[in-house]
Amino acid sequence: MPLALLRQLTLASLMTLGLTACGGSSGGGPEPGSSSSQSSSSFSSSSVSQTSSRSSESSVSSSSTSSSVSSSSSSSQPADLEPAPFSFEPQFDVEPGATLTSNTVTVSGIDAATAISVTGGQYSIDGGAYTDADGEVDLDDEVRVQVTASGNFSTEASATLTIGGISGTFTVTTEAEDTTPNAFGFAPQEDLDPETEVTSEEVEISGINTPVAVNITGGEYRVNGGEFTTEVGELKSRDTISLRAVTLSGPDQTREVAITIGTETVEWALTTAPDEEPPVGEIAFPPPMSASGAETLTIRGRASDELSDVAEVTLTVHHQDSTVPYTLEPDEETGFAEWQQSITLAPGENRVSLQVSDEAGNELEEPVEVTVVGQDYTAPFPDDEQGQFDIGEMVYDKARNRLLLLGSDQDNGETEYRSVLAVDLDTGIRSVFVTNDGENDALNLRSLDVGVIDSENNRLLAARSGGFDTPIYEIDLGTGIAIELLQSKSGDLASAFDWPRGIVKSSLDPESVYILSGGNGGDFRRLLRVNLESGEREVISDPEAGVGSGPDFSSADGILVSEEDGWAYIHNGLALYKVKLISGDRVEIPLDYPTDFIIRAINDFFLVGEELNIFETSRGVMKKDKSTDEWVVIHPYDENDEFDSRLSEGVHYVEENNYIFVAQDHYKAVLAYDLTTNEFVVISRYSE
């Protein structure tokens, strides 16, 4: 029972007991028929009277009772239900939507249970559960208020607590919106390769209290390890972000990637390495050492730089007593990627020096040089050594930068029986490479006129195109020593060969070669594929034996093979065919070009890419144009022309520089003919 109520009940009981004692057995009630005032007056008079006539003992008792009644009358004041004033400390910069708890207030100034209520929030008494229902508190109770902050920035929310008519308000104010992140950045990167994709480190974003926009220029970004994007996106606090971009194409150039997050923009710098490398310069034509009887010659080449643009290309022609510089003009579209310059040739040595500089100021470490000797076309070059040799075939030994001339010795054995001469392309000097004596004495290597370089196995495969039972020889490219590799008629005659007219190395199978057998009387006129390791032979096309369909290529003189296209090309001097390598089927290629001669004839042929080129005996050098399927003259024959475009005892196409080496036995010369400018130079020449 509350203390205040207990007090009231105790006072009431005492008053009742006092009145009973003073009123006697009748209970002190008024006499019938008397008024209340009279009763009161009578009571007092009676009390007083009682006090006068009675003994001293009775007077004391009455006085106590009277005192008791008086005391009871003064103690019946109402309970104190109004507490002392209280307050709550406001809170600022709170998180939107957060639930906040006030400081604690202790109820004081009341002496009875007092009503408590709240609006806008909840309250808790003495650590109990929070509630928004009305209730009561007692003296010394501890009360706290709880309120939920606004979901908006810079906005107040409050709860008002009322106890016994006294109120206090707890107010919370949300923080201001912050779209400015704490300082962030991405480490710059330097010495990077041009046009290279680079990814930054991951950076965590902080200091914002609301999602903010993110956008980028010059690169891409990703959030929390997701996909890279260039689209405008959104970030929130504690998200991570990384960047990606491609470096610029030039040296010492900086790409600046700008990333904006909220109100802040930072840049990420990617810088390519400075260009300290020299450019690249090449002279594509002519070869390193040559001779020409022309007054001018077009020098052709290439210039490039991996990091910078080529700034300047110069040629300097050093004569015996003069120096002539040529500054080249770049092509409008290709710059100096492919350049050419006509120079004037003086009699004697013309040393042509190439220098290239780039925009960073780098130059070739050493100039590239070629030498062209101005002399009559008919004069020996570079000397008249190793004459009296008939050229039957020419092959290109790229690894050793030389041409090999297969043929027969015509000096009647006065020196030695020469079978193969080597022409050094750096000097033009001829030397004996293979002889028919010494260690090769027993092999009869005279009159070799069919051959091919097998660079994978460091050997020259060679044979004679005439004669029965002609073997194929293997000649070591280092020593010139030969061995017999393959007998023509070994094994089954149905896959034998005789009078080999051409050997072509397979580009797809390093162990195999194609052999064109000329035969004698038709028995061995066939195209074979031979595995040189196992000796296995496969007849691809044989008109006589019915392998493959189509016209008979008869006694063929030459073969080309394009395995990528799946065709072999064969000519017999008067007609041209292509043979399907899979089926052996033969198709004649019409020689349907106009001519003033009675017959059309082919002396030699070569492939430039997929286009077939021929040395035609009346028209000169021609090609079968792939786009029009028509024959086009490249270099017409002219009896007054120093270059006889009809003749070839061997031709090799130098693909990277677009020129051909041509051996012409009639002139005892090896020439280099430029398919770009239609000019030529002498590589080696000797007299009879």
Side-chain angles (χ1 to χ4, degrees):
M1 181 178 295
L3 181 60
L5 182 57
L6 180 59
R7 288 171 180 166
Q8 292 179 10
L9 290 175
T10 304
L11 287 172
S13 299
L14 291 172
M15 288 176 65
T16 302
L17 292 172
L19 290 173
T20 302
C22 292
S25 60
S26 64
E31 294 288 339
S34 66
S35 66
S36 60
S37 62
Q38 291 174 335
S39 299
S40 176
S41 178
S42 175
F43 172 75
S44 298
S45 180
S46 171
S47 297
V48 172
S49 174
Q50 287 174 358
T51 303
S52 302
S53 60
R54 291 190 180 184
S55 65
S56 59
E57 182 180 351
S58 298
S59 296
V60 172
S61 175
S62 176
S63 178
S64 296
T65 302
S66 184
S67 174
S68 176
V69 173
S70 176
S71 175
S72 174
S73 298
S74 64
S75 298
S76 45
Q77 299 290 333
D80 188 356
L81 303 179
E82 184 177 291
F86 58 89
S87 63
F88 299 101
E89 296 176 4
Q91 295 186 22
F92 301 97
D93 294 329
V94 302
E95 182 181 351
T99 299
L100 288 307
T101 302
S102 73
N103 56 294
T104 301
V105 296
T106 302
V107 179
S108 64
I110 62 172
D111 54 13
T114 303
I116 183 172
S117 63
V118 70
T119 59
Q122 295 179 310
Y123 67 90
S124 168
I125 301 173
D126 292 336
Y130 281 91
T131 180
D132 57 3
D134 294 349
E136 289 182 336
V137 290
D138 291 320
L139 183 67
D140 295 333
D141 281 349
E142 293 183 342
V143 182
R144 291 189 296 176
V145 175
Q146 202 172 66
V147 68
T148 299
S150 171
N152 300 319
F153 292 103
S154 301
T155 304
E156 287 186 356
S158 63
T160 300
L161 184 74
T162 301
I163 301 175
I166 301 300
S167 297
T169 300
F170 175 41
T171 302
V172 295
T173 304
T174 53
E175 60 190 346
E177 185 176 31
D178 187 355
T179 59
T180 301
N182 292 336
F184 67 96
F186 300 89
Q189 299 192 34
E190 300 176 343
D191 293 329
L192 300 171
D193 292 332
E195 298 182 318
T196 300
E197 188 176 80
V198 182
T199 301
S200 76
E201 74 275 24
E202 281 195 332
V203 172
E204 183 177 291
I205 301 303
S206 61
I208 55 176
N209 57 14
T210 185
V212 296
V214 54
N215 58 71
I216 193 169
T217 58
E220 304 171 289
Y221 73 92
R222 67 179 175 186
V223 178
N224 298 330
E227 296 295 324
F228 280 99
T229 182
T230 59
E231 300 296 323
V232 175
E234 193 174 74
L235 276 177
K236 60 183 180 298
S237 184
R238 303 194 68 180
D239 279 346
T240 60
I241 186 170
S242 57
L243 312 182
R244 185 173 72 180
V246 176
T247 58
L248 296 175
S249 60
D252 203 20
Q253 293 183 347
T254 299
R255 178 183 291 282
E256 292 182 343
V257 180
I259 181 78
T260 300
I261 299 175
T263 61
E264 294 299 302
T265 299
V266 300
E267 291 184 342
W268 180 42
L270 304 176
T271 304
T272 53
D275 184 4
E276 298 176 349
E277 295 296 321
V280 175
E282 300 173 277
I283 294 178
F285 186 87
M289 178 64 72
S290 63
S292 174
E295 293 181 356
T296 63
L297 179 68
T298 299
I299 309 297
R300 188 169 55 81
R302 296 178 288 271
S304 62
D305 191 280
E306 187 175 351
L307 297 176
S308 302
D309 289 334
V310 174
E312 187 177 67
V313 175
T314 59
L315 288 176
T316 304
V317 181
H318 305 273
H319 302 299
Q320 187 174 5
D321 54 0
S322 65
T323 298
V324 180
Y326 296 85
T327 300
L328 280 61
E329 294 295 327
D331 184 86
E332 291 183 0
E333 295 182 0
T334 62
F336 294 109
E338 300 279 346
W339 55 263
Q340 51 183 279
Q341 176 67 47
S342 177
I343 64 170
T344 299
L345 296 176
E349 187 176 282
N350 298 267
R351 182 165 55 86
V352 184
S353 176
L354 168 69
Q355 184 54 267
V356 180
S357 60
D358 63 23
E359 290 186 339
N362 301 304
E363 294 185 341
L364 298 178
E365 294 179 352
E366 292 185 5
V368 177
E369 293 187 347
V370 299
T371 298
V372 183
V373 176
Q375 64 175 45
D376 188 83
Y377 279 119
T378 61
F381 180 78
D383 52 40
D384 203 19
E385 298 297 320
Q386 303 300 335
Q388 295 181 296
F389 184 84
D390 289 346
I391 304 172
E393 172 70 293
M394 179 195 72
V395 295
Y396 177 45
D397 184 3
K398 183 177 182 179
R400 293 169 175 78
N401 197 36
R402 65 183 179 178
L403 297 170
L404 300 181
L405 306 178
L406 287 67
S408 57
D409 197 332
Q410 300 297 317
D411 70 350
N412 298 316
E414 292 181 8
T415 54
E416 55 189 342
Y417 287 107
R418 299 165 294 170
S419 299
V420 181
L421 297 182
V423 179
D424 187 333
L425 292 175
D426 287 327
T427 64
I429 293 174
R430 300 174 300 279
S431 61
V432 178
F433 174 53
V434 180
T435 67
N436 192 37
D437 57 9
E439 294 189 50
N440 297 330
D441 184 50
L443 295 177
N444 190 20
L445 297 179
R446 298 176 183 178
S447 302
L448 298 176
D449 58 0
V450 175
V452 66
I453 295 290
D454 179 7
S455 57
E456 289 88 351
N457 295 295
N458 191 41
R459 61 187 177 181
L460 165 67
L461 305 177
R464 292 186 301 276
S465 63
F468 298 100
D469 300 328
T470 303
I472 292 178
Y473 299 101
E474 172 187 310
I475 301 173
D476 188 289
L477 287 174
T479 64
I481 297 175
I483 60 173
E484 187 176 292
L485 177 65
L486 191 66
Q487 278 289 338
S488 62
K489 294 181 180 178
S490 60
D492 185 3
L493 291 181
S495 60
F497 64 89
D498 202 3
W499 296 57
R501 298 302 177 91
I503 305 173
V504 176
K505 187 77 170 56
S506 169
S507 62
L508 302 180
D509 180 4
E511 297 180 352
S512 297
V513 294
Y514 294 90
I515 298 176
L516 178 63
S517 175
N520 182 27
D523 291 341
F524 300 103
R525 294 173 182 174
R526 56 176 66 113
L527 174 61
L528 306 169
R529 181 165 42 227
V530 180
N531 186 297
L532 298 177
E533 294 298 318
S534 66
E536 181 181 355
R537 305 181 185 196
E538 175 191 0
V539 177
I540 293 175
S541 188
D542 187 336
E544 189 74 18
V547 180
S549 62
D552 187 348
F553 48 66
S554 187
S555 184
D557 286 333
I559 179 175
L560 298 170
V561 176
S562 176
E563 290 181 310
E564 292 78 8
D565 299 329
W567 292 98
Y569 298 88
I570 294 174
H571 82 85
N572 62 14
L574 298 176
L576 182 62
Y577 306 87
K578 62 179 183 179
V579 180
K580 194 74 172 176
L581 293 177
I582 295 177
S583 64
D585 294 341
R586 300 168 295 278
V587 179
E588 185 172 358
I589 300 174
L591 301 177
D592 52 358
Y593 44 83
T595 179
D596 295 333
F597 286 75
I598 299 175
I599 62 172
R600 296 175 175 85
I602 299 172
N603 186 42
D604 205 347
F605 59 177
F606 61 97
L607 283 170
V608 176
E610 297 179 2
E611 288 186 327
L612 188 63
N613 293 252
I614 62 174
F615 285 82
E616 209 276 340
T617 55
S618 63
R619 299 297 307 277
V621 180
M622 306 179 71
K623 73 174 181 178
K624 187 76 166 177
D625 189 283
K626 189 172 179 62
S627 60
T628 64
D629 201 35
E630 295 182 354
W631 289 101
V632 178
V633 176
I634 297 174
H635 194 110
Y637 169 68
D638 184 339
E639 62 181 6
N640 297 315
D641 192 345
E642 296 291 349
F643 177 68
D644 192 334
S645 57
R646 305 169 301 166
L647 303 181
S648 171
E649 271 71 47
V651 57
H652 178 82
Y653 174 58
V654 182
E655 182 178 2
E656 59 269 26
N657 293 324
N658 197 40
Y659 66 81
I660 56 175
F661 289 115
V662 184
Q664 295 182 334
D665 183 63
H666 180 76
Y667 300 101
K668 302 303 179 186
V670 177
L671 312 174
Y673 180 88
D674 191 349
L675 293 171
T676 301
T677 64
N678 296 325
E679 300 178 49
F680 78 99
V681 292
V682 176
I683 299 301
S684 188
R685 184 165 185 160
Y686 51 94
S687 59
E688 286 298 314

